[in-house]
Every structure is written in C-alpha cells, then in structure tokens.
C-alpha cells in the first residue's frame, strides 16, 4: 500500500481551513487535538486515493514476471501492426500499460482521447480494462467511465479490423465475490462471461479472475501491497495518541472536559506515562 507518512501527503495548506478540521473542531476539545485528527484523516484519505495508482504499478510488475508486457509506444505500434496482419500467429498473451499506448501513432489522441488503465490481449481476445481498488462506486462517475470504455473499444476495433473478440471490463480488483463486485458497480455491468459478453457492453470482473486468466499471481500482488500496512497502522495510532495527549494537556485542570474524551482513568494514566516516547508527527 501507499505510505501515510510520505512527505506532502494529505492537506498541504492550513489544516484549520479544511473540511477535515470542521469534523473535529469543538469548544470542549483542544484546537491542537482537532488539528492533529484532521491531519491524520487527510493523510488517510490521500493514501487511499494513492493506493489505486500503486495497484496499477504492482499489477503490471506482477504481469511482467510470467508473461509479456508492453510499456512503450514503439512495441505497442508493432503489436497493433501484427494484429492487423491476417497471417500473423495471434496465439499469445500480453499486458499493456498506459505508457504503451498513451502517445501511440496507432491510436492518435483525436480518436482515442482518454486511455483506459490497461489493455490486455490473449489468443484473439482483446480487453480494455479500468481497474478499481474499492468495491462501491458512484453511479454518475461509472456512467462516464462506461462511455469512455465503449468509445475506446470502438476505436480499437476499427484499428484491428474488427478481427478479434473485444471485451471492455471494469475490474473490482480487491473484491473476490463476483456478486458483490457487480453490486459495487451499482449492478450496471453484468459479470464477465466470454460466451455472452461483447464489445458493446461493459462487464464486471474481479482482480482474482483477471489474474487467473493472464497467469498473474493475485496473492503475491496482495502480499506486496501489504508491505506498508503495519507502518501505516502505527502512524495512525501514534497520531491518535498524540491528539489525545494534546487534549489532556489543554484540559488538565478541567475534569469535566477530560471526561468527555471517554477514556478510562487507567488509559489516561498510561498515555501520560508514554507521552515522552510518542514521536511528534
């Protein structure tokens, strides 16, 4: 996963002017404690967003271990040229990143203005894929992404002479339950089935199933993504403890306000003992 403690992550200007701060600001609480909580939530939110980009990189790196990958326009344009050749042996698989087709001569921006996250090809089957880390999405945004996928697929079909099987898919990577994946996309897209899915309808697919199709180690991807989770948890707990201490310091002789924190006297005593050891963020 992405790291919460990365410099510059989260709200970059005055945290007290943010919506995060307004969630915690209250006369009974220390302003410094509210600032700390707001910063932590801001960092958590920014980290969650960054996880999507990191997932794309991790997926592509994993694809490169066992299979062919394309990460530059030169190789991509040769790939498209080969697909246009009726005599070329099309029994192979490849995973293609955005860098492969972003500035491709085969797919000029005038007809391919927005790139999907990945193109994947296997034995005559051509996938355009948007990859999502979450499992619950906004219907309005999904409608726009669906139109983009279908328009992009139309361009790909024209470029490859409509000679392949074409599948535009929305991938709910972390959701392993097919029904829940469909529900997360507001049931806008049926689950992928190579026998019934087609170029003019977006389908849902899980990360586990797309990895299985392209011989990518799904479990290894998740293991790699967990590398920073412990540090993120420690960062979060450390920040919460610091916020509590800020509040206790501000209200040391105001027992009624201290009690509103909702902590037991034993926990308060422990936190005060640990105060010298809690790192300042």
């Amino acid at each position: 996963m992405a790291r919460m403690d990365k410099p510059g992550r989260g709200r970059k200007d005055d945290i007290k002017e943010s919506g995060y701060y307004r969630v915690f600001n209250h006369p009974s609480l220390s302003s410094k404690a509210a600032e700390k909580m707001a910063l932590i939530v801001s960092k958590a939110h920014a980290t969650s967003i960054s996880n999507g980009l990191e997932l794309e990189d991790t997926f592509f790196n994993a694809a490169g271990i066992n299979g062919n990958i394309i990460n530059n326009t030169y190789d991509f344009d040769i790939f498209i040229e080969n697909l246009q050749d009726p005599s070329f042996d099309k029994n192979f698989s490849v995973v293609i990143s955005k860098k492969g087709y972003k500035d491709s001569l085969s797919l000029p921006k005038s007809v391919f203005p927005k790139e999907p996250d990945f193109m994947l090809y296997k034995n005559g089957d051509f996938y355009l894929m948007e990859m999502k880390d979450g499992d619950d999405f906004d219907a309005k945004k999904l409608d726009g992404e669906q139109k983009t996928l279908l328009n992009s697929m139309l361009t790909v079909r024209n470029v490859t002479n409509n000679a392949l099987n074409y599948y535009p898919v929305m991938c709910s990577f972390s959701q392993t339950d097919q029904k829940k994946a469909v529900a997360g996309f507001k049931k806008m897209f049926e689950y992928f089935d190579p026998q019934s899915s087609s170029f003019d309808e977006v389908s849902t697919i899980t990360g586990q199933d797309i990895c299985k199709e392209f011989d990518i180690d799904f479990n290894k991807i998740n293991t790699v993504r967990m590398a920073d989770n412990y540090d993120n948890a420690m960062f979060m707990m450390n920040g919460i403890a610091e916020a509590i201490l800020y509040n206790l310091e501000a209200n040391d002789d105001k027992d009624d306000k201290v009690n509103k924190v909702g902590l037991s006297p034993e926990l308060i005593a422990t936190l005060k003992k640990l105060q010298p050891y809690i790192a300042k963020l």
Side-chain angles (χ1 to χ4, degrees):
M1 293 287 178
R3 290 184 66 94
M4 283 184 65
D5 60 358
K6 182 178 180 179
R9 178 148 286 161
R11 177 79 179 216
K12 295 178 177 60
D13 52 5
D14 189 355
I15 194 69
K16 294 180 75 172
E17 296 179 358
S18 71
Y20 301 107
Y21 180 78
R22 288 188 288 277
V23 169
F24 301 106
N25 186 35
H26 190 274
S28 296
L29 299 174
S30 159
S31 174
K32 201 172 181 181
E35 286 183 53
K36 177 58 65 175
M37 294 297 293
L39 182 61
I40 293 169
V41 174
S42 169
K43 285 180 174 291
H45 183 209
T47 303
S48 176
I49 294 171
S50 296
N51 278 341
L53 295 175
E54 186 189 68
L55 171 59
E56 292 175 21
D57 291 340
T58 307
F59 175 81
F60 188 71
N61 291 337
I65 294 175
N66 295 324
N68 295 321
I69 56 174
I70 293 177
N71 202 31
N72 64 78
T73 54
Y74 178 79
D75 288 341
F76 177 76
D77 287 333
I78 291 176
F79 161 73
I80 292 296
E81 184 178 328
N82 288 334
L83 291 183
Q84 293 170 336
D85 182 355
S87 65
F88 187 80
D89 184 2
K90 297 178 178 59
N91 290 315
F92 64 96
S93 68
V94 64
V95 176
I96 310 163
S97 75
K98 278 184 182 179
K99 290 181 181 178
Y101 43 87
K102 187 177 175 98
D103 298 311
S104 166
L105 297 176
S106 303
L107 298 171
K109 289 250 180 228
S110 58
V111 294
F112 202 73
K114 186 180 184 301
E115 308 89 1
D117 292 329
F118 290 99
M119 292 184 183
L120 307 97
Y121 174 86
K122 182 177 181 180
N123 302 339
D125 294 338
F126 201 120
Y127 300 76
L128 291 188
M129 183 171 74
E130 284 290 332
M131 181 173 283
K132 304 294 184 183
D133 192 25
D135 64 351
D136 188 19
F137 306 97
D138 177 70
K140 187 174 181 180
K141 187 176 180 181
L142 288 175
D143 185 58
E145 292 182 329
Q146 174 182 223
K147 290 176 181 176
T148 297
L149 268 180
L150 293 177
N151 288 336
S152 298
M153 184 57 84
L154 178 61
T155 301
V156 170
R157 287 176 59 219
N158 291 335
V159 168
T160 55
N161 303 321
N162 200 22
L164 308 168
N165 300 314
Y166 302 92
Y167 303 118
V169 295
M170 297 286 287
C171 177
S172 181
F173 189 84
S174 300
Q175 178 55 262
T176 57
D177 186 297
Q178 295 179 359
K179 291 183 179 179
K180 289 182 179 179
V182 171
F185 288 125
K186 301 297 182 282
K187 299 184 178 180
M188 292 173 62
F189 320 122
E190 296 294 328
Y191 200 78
F192 175 72
D193 180 351
Q195 302 303 317
S196 59
S197 297
S198 67
F199 66 86
D200 58 354
E201 292 183 350
V202 174
S203 300
T204 297
I205 196 165
T206 63
Q208 194 171 51
D209 283 350
I210 198 70
C211 284
K212 182 178 180 181
E213 181 66 20
F214 284 84
D215 195 26
I216 299 169
D217 193 332
F218 176 77
N219 292 327
K220 185 171 183 178
I221 290 175
N222 287 327
T223 298
V224 170
R225 298 187 75 211
M226 287 179 64
D228 296 321
N229 286 6
Y230 179 82
D231 289 338
N232 284 340
M234 291 298 102
F235 184 88
M236 173 73 81
M237 287 189 281
N238 185 81
I240 292 172
E242 189 176 354
I244 293 171
L245 287 171
Y246 283 149
N247 203 61
L248 293 174
E249 290 171 358
N251 296 291
D252 248 345
D253 49 357
K254 303 174 185 177
D255 291 339
D256 59 325
K257 291 183 179 179
V258 172
N259 288 338
K260 287 180 182 178
V261 177
L263 305 179
S264 68
E266 294 80 10
L267 182 53
I268 290 174
T270 300
L271 284 170
K272 286 185 174 181
K273 288 180 181 179
L274 291 174
Q275 187 170 5
Y277 306 100
I278 295 178
K280 300 298 182 182
L281 301 181

